[in-house]
């Protein structure tokens, strides 16, 4: 735990992503104040969701001492339609973004995210697609499957935090090299999906670059990948915004980001 957030700083952007997508899907535009770990949390959530900052109804409370240049640039990138990537801004005058990106990619997942059933798998180019489909089908109901050849813009949307890494070019070359298979899935036993992914990767054999299978590890990125790879229409159709699991996710995001109940004017009470 770090600072005022009820979640590790590196996972705060993922909680923000889940909150804004849940609100977007359920048509909740009432303004809420959220604590963020960095201005770049706001940009990342917007870029990953493919939604501009305006209209999300989120008022970010920046951490004490946050860099003014980064607040301005992150909000400018987040507010563009569609959101822009800070790579387009060129050389940064400060090291904040690089440090933020390194932190986001650091270490194993430590946050105990709420369980989520609706998810998406991307079987990467040249992977044994039939074998992976078979293994995924054992633990999930397959609601749809499509072939899709990713573009560099797709990979940037999936991994926006891969800022300033030479590795990006190799990832892009691999992921855009041929058709992938996108699968819309509902888990028979939410909470086991990460284990299934690990087992499949171990069974096939993999390295850091070629790991055959992309599946989101947290509910916010599951919604983002569903919107991006499957589309808003099907996501709306299958996302049950008011069910127990979705409500548990929403309660988790609100606690993690310090969201207070709103007063009669609809403005979040300040601290
Ligand atoms: Zn800065």
């Amino acid at each position: 735990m770090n600072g005022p957030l009820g979640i590790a700083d590196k996972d705060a952007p993922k909680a923000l992503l889940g909150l804004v997508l849940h609100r977007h899907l359920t048509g909740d535009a009432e303004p809420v104040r959220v604590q963020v770990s960095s201005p770049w949390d706001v940009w990342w959530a917007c870029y990953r969701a493919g939604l501009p900052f305006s209209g999300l109804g989120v008022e970010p409370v920046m951490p004490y001492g946050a860099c003014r240049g980064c607040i301005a640039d992150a909000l400018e990138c987040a507010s563009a339609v569609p959101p822009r990537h800070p790579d387009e801004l060129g050389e940064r005058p400060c090291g904040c973004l690089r440090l933020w990106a390194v932190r986001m990619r650091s270490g194993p997942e430590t946050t105990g995210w709420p369980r989520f059933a609706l998810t998406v798998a991307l079987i990467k180019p040249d992977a044994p697609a039939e074998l992976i489909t078979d293994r995924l089908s054992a633990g999930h109901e397959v609601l749809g499957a499509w072939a899709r050849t990713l573009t560099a813009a797709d990979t940037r949307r999936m991994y926006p935090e891969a800022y300033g890494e030479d590795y990006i070019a190799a990832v892009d070359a691999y992921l855009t090299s041929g058709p992938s298979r996108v699968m819309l899935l509902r888990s028979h036993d939410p909470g086991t999906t990460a284990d299934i992914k690990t087992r499949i990767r171990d069974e096939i054999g993999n390295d850091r670059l070629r790991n055959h299978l992309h599946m989101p590890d947290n509910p916010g990125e599951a919604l983002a990948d569903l919107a991006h790879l499957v589309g808003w229409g099907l996501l709306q159709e299958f996302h049950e915004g008011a069910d127990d699991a979705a409500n548990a996710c929403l309660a988790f995001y609100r606690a993690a980001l310090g969201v207070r109940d709103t007063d009669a004017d609809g403005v979040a009470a300040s601290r």
Side-chain angles (χ1 to χ4, degrees), residues 42-129:
V42 180
W43 161 74
W44 183 88
C46 288
Y47 196 88
R48 195 79 175 78
L51 296 171
F53 174 59
S54 60
L56 291 183
V58 167
E59 297 171 14
V61 178
M62 297 297 168
Y64 180 74
C67 169
R68 286 176 182 274
C70 281
I71 293 174
D73 288 346
L75 292 182
E76 186 189 321
C77 286
S79 298
V81 185
R84 294 169 63 204
H85 198 283
D87 272 352
E88 295 174 33
L89 300 175
E91 191 81 10
R92 303 285 311 150
C94 58
C96 312
L97 177 57
R98 184 174 295 273
L99 287 172
W100 172 91
V102 167
R103 187 187 72 193
M104 238 195 119
R105 297 193 297 264
S106 67
E109 191 86 27
T110 54
T111 297
W113 297 100
R115 294 178 173 202
F116 55 103
L118 190 67
T119 192
V120 62
L122 179 90
I123 303 177
K124 298 180 181 180
D126 297 331

Side-chain angles (χ1 to χ4, degrees), residues 176-199:
T176 63
S177 64
S180 294
R181 180 182 292 181
V182 174
M183 298 181 72
L184 172 60
L185 302 171
R186 183 153 45 211
S187 174
H188 295 314
D189 186 7
T192 60
T193 293
D195 294 339
I196 292 172
K197 177 172 71 174
T198 301
R199 274 206 306 275

Side-chain angles (χ1 to χ4, degrees), residues 128 174 198-207 210-212:
Y174 167 40
T198 301
R199 274 206 306 275
I200 290 171
R201 285 177 169 177
D202 288 348
E203 180 181 347
I204 300 167
N206 63 87
D207 55 39
R210 292 184 173 267
N211 58 16
H212 309 294

Side-chain angles (χ1 to χ4, degrees), residues 21-42:
L21 283 174
H22 182 97
R23 286 163 54 83
H24 186 77
L25 287 164
T26 54
D28 181 1
E30 188 179 315
V32 288
R33 213 167 273 180
V34 295
Q35 296 280 344
V36 296
S37 80
S38 155
W40 295 107
D41 290 12
V42 180

